[in-house]
């Protein structure tokens, strides 16, 4: 039943991820260009150059905001990572105290020290 849930969650996340690849690429490109424009804005010495770069920066900021649904794609990619990570996860078994050789050794060592 656990594997079925993982397959279902992974399938839904994969569909969402595939449908939001376009906005993710657009967000990546617009944020990259916005960063480049910001660096050039800080280097610019003339007021006219700063105004032009500021206007271009606002345009790319709006382009970045319009690609906000890409965040859903990032969340879907993270869910796919969790599904992949938990696919072969083993359950932690409770080790009985008597079956654990180290606990048994510690008990016997303490008994020997007491004599």
């Amino acid at each position: 039943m656990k594997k079925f849930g993982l397959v279902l969650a992974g399938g839904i996340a994969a569909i969402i991820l595939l449908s939001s690849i376009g906005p993710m690429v657009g967000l990546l490109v617009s944020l990259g260009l916005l960063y480049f424009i910001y660096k050039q804005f800080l280097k610019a010495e003339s007021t006219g150059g700063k105004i032009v770069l500021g206007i271009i920066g606002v345009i790319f900021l709006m382009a970045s905001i319009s690609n906000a649904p890409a965040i859903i794609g990032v969340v879907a990619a993270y869910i796919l990572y969790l599904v992949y990570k938990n696919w072969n996860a083993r359950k932690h078994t409770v080790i009985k105290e008597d079956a654990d050789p180290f606990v048994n050794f510690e008990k016997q060592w303490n008994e020997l020290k007491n004599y």
Side-chain angles (χ1 to χ4, degrees), residues 2 6 49 55 96-97 99 108:
K2 181 180 176 184
L6 288 174
I55 291 171
K96 295 181 183 177
E97 238 179 58
Q108 290 178 353

Side-chain angles (χ1 to χ4, degrees), residues 1-113:
M1 189 67 174
K2 181 180 176 184
K3 296 277 187 182
F4 177 72
L6 288 174
V7 167
L8 186 64
I12 292 171
I15 291 170
I16 292 172
L17 179 64
L18 288 175
S19 67
S20 64
I21 283 180
M24 288 173 67
V25 170
L27 180 66
L28 183 68
V29 169
S30 62
L31 285 178
L33 289 172
L34 185 63
Y35 176 75
F36 177 72
I37 290 170
Y38 174 72
K39 287 294 195 181
Q40 293 300 317
F41 179 81
L42 292 178
K43 290 180 184 176
E45 295 180 9
S46 68
T47 306
K50 285 193 177 213
I51 290 173
V52 170
L53 286 171
I55 291 171
I56 295 172
V58 168
I59 291 170
F60 279 105
L61 180 66
M62 294 299 159
S64 297
I65 291 172
S66 71
N67 287 318
I71 296 171
I72 296 171
V74 172
V75 171
Y78 180 70
I79 291 172
L80 273 175
Y81 167 73
L82 290 178
V83 167
Y84 175 75
K85 184 177 170 184
N86 291 325
W87 185 257
N88 288 326
R90 296 182 183 173
K91 292 183 180 178
H92 297 288
T93 57
V94 178
I95 299 174
K96 295 181 183 177
E97 238 179 58
D98 296 332
D100 189 10
F102 298 108
V103 173
N104 194 20
F105 174 76
E106 290 294 325
K107 284 182 185 177
Q108 290 178 353
W109 184 256
N110 287 333
E111 288 174 6
L112 287 174
K113 285 185 358 182

